[in-house]
Amino acid sequence: MTVPFWAWLAVIGVIIAMLAVDLFAHRRAHVIGVREAALWSAVWVAFGVAFGALIWQVYGAEFGQQYFAGYLIEKSLAVDNVFVWAIIFSYFAVPREYQHRVLFLGVLGALVFRGIFIAAGSAIIASAGWVLYLFAAFLLYTGYRMIRQRNEHMEPEKSRALKLFRRLVPMTEAFHGQRLLVRRNGVLLATPLLAVLVLVEVTDIIFAVDSIPAIFAVTDEVFLVFTANAFAILGLRAMYFLLADLMHRFIYLKAGLALVLIWVGIKMLLKIDIFYIPTPISLAVVVTILAVSIGASLLATRGQARRPLVVPVNPPFRVADPAETAELDPLWRRPVPAGKGSGPDGGSTR
């Protein structure tokens, strides 16, 4: 598969344009409802599918199928990431109107980090093909571990990244709107929203360690690996607002995702020296596993309504009142000390 340099630039340009549109549409903090989330989810999925159709048309059915297999794997594994975000937001009691800004920046960081991981993974595979054995073994182990720990959930308060951040970075104890940094009494401070963003980025990096090897199992083309990742990740924010209140209904999804990882691990192991499983078969197996796990989950929990996330009775952070926010100093300009730069009447001499 030969991809000209201008095609890479065009794809990156489209991604940047899509992010700009999303940021403009959500420039004002507001609670994103189910209807808005469903609409944006449909938009992002339409972009991902349309790009896959373009690949199919230009490069043929095999590469088109590889893209869709990678896109589906990344999209499905991202659902587990979405549920972790829900746990983080509920633990920190992040107001819903501020969550989109965190996720926007989180997805932006995820695109950068995954681009780095994909480039590094491709270079390692090209220079040391035996590393595929390690990738396959890692996927099999991760799938097994997910099945063993399918009923366990992340505990944000025990996160080492959070503890390290709070120890190294001076921080306020209250949210100040969508601000990540504030200045108080001349001192630059992080807000809890920045701590949440750091935790979101760290969890995505951890998930990328699973998902990047998984997509290399279905395609060796770096262009397809990157684009499938990118278009799957772009819709995560809308997916979160659509599914966060329904996470209690997907009781078998984690087991299904574990089986997907085990399947792609087996496919990668066989592909190295034994037998290449055709892409249509791989795609059909992944679709079947996901359909069965989702269908069984919804059937077992039928009748259960949407359930808002449970917020701790005593959350670790609070929302600052308007008076506190009004007392903050300008962020990028230190206040002028008394007696300096002022005239006899206290006004500025400049």
Side-chain angles (χ1 to χ4, degrees):
M1 181 179 184
T2 303
V3 181
F5 183 67
W6 65 261
W8 280 95
L9 294 180
V11 168
I12 293 173
V14 168
I15 291 173
I16 292 174
M18 292 166 66
L19 288 171
V21 170
D22 184 86
L23 183 61
F24 178 79
H26 299 92
R27 62 192 182 280
R28 295 182 181 177
H30 66 281
V31 177
I32 297 178
V34 175
R35 184 176 179 179
E36 182 180 356
L39 177 61
W40 277 101
S41 292
V43 169
W44 296 124
V45 170
F47 270 106
V49 172
F51 184 80
L54 180 62
I55 293 293
W56 196 306
Q57 177 68 29
V58 175
Y59 291 100
E62 175 60 25
F63 289 122
Q65 292 166 358
Q66 289 181 15
Y67 167 84
F68 280 116
Y71 177 80
L72 185 60
I73 289 172
E74 291 300 320
K75 201 73 171 175
S76 59
L77 292 177
V79 175
D80 202 26
N81 204 353
V82 164
F83 290 162
V84 170
W85 290 348
I87 293 172
I88 294 173
F89 285 143
S90 62
Y91 170 76
F92 287 105
V94 180
R96 289 185 71 99
E97 60 268 27
Y98 304 154
Q99 293 175 7
H100 183 274
R101 179 61 56 86
V102 174
L103 295 182
F104 177 87
L105 295 174
V107 166
L108 190 62
L111 288 171
V112 173
F113 281 116
R114 292 195 181 212
I116 294 172
F117 291 161
I118 290 169
S122 176
I124 292 173
I125 292 172
S127 60
W130 56 265
V131 79
L132 290 174
Y133 290 105
L134 296 181
F135 282 0
F138 179 75
L139 289 172
L140 293 172
Y141 170 73
T142 302
Y144 166 75
R145 187 184 61 187
M146 283 183 69
I147 291 177
R148 289 281 308 268
Q149 301 174 350
R150 62 187 179 277
N151 295 321
E152 298 179 13
H153 301 288
M154 175 191 182
E155 298 178 313
E157 67 276 11
K158 296 182 180 180
S159 169
R160 295 180 181 178
L162 178 62
K163 292 178 180 178
L164 181 63
F165 180 86
R166 299 196 69 175
R167 185 163 65 245
L168 298 179
V169 181
M171 192 170 70
T172 68
E173 294 301 320
F175 294 102
H176 290 272
Q178 297 190 93
R179 302 180 187 183
L180 302 177
L181 298 169
V182 295
R183 188 180 294 278
R184 187 170 60 198
N185 298 325
V187 179
L188 189 65
L189 302 170
T191 70
L193 211 60
L194 182 57
V196 173
L197 174 59
V198 169
L199 199 53
V200 165
E201 287 289 3
V202 170
T203 56
D204 183 77
I205 290 174
I206 294 173
F207 276 102
V209 174
D210 297 338
S211 65
I212 299 302
I215 195 171
F216 272 113
V218 296
T219 180
D220 298 325
E221 299 294 336
V222 179
F223 185 72
L224 298 183
V225 173
F226 174 75
T227 52
N229 256 276
F231 284 106
I233 290 173
L234 284 172
L236 287 190
R237 299 178 306 286
M239 184 188 294
Y240 164 77
F241 291 107
L242 187 63
L243 299 180
D245 294 345
L246 292 173
M247 58 183 294
H248 61 284
R249 295 199 58 186
F250 293 90
I251 57 177
Y252 301 126
L253 181 59
K254 195 162 188 177
L257 297 178
L259 292 177
V260 169
L261 287 178
I262 291 173
W263 165 249
V264 295
I266 293 172
K267 173 181 168 57
M268 179 176 283
L269 202 58
L270 294 175
K271 165 181 155 181
I272 300 171
D273 295 314
I274 304 174
F275 175 69
Y276 175 75
I277 299 175
T279 303
I281 295 178
S282 298
L283 189 56
V285 171
V286 172
V287 169
T288 301
I289 293 173
L290 294 176
V292 170
S293 61
I294 293 173
S297 297
L298 297 179
L299 184 63
T301 59
R302 62 186 180 278
Q304 296 186 22
R306 300 184 73 91
R307 185 184 302 168
L309 300 176
V310 178
V311 177
V313 177
N314 297 307
F317 304 108
R318 59 184 177 82
V319 177
D321 57 51
E324 289 179 282
T325 302
E327 292 175 355
L328 296 174
D329 302 328
L331 182 59
W332 302 117
R333 179 169 58 84
R334 291 179 177 275
V336 180
K340 291 187 178 181
S342 58
D345 59 352
S348 173
T349 59
R350 290 194 271 177

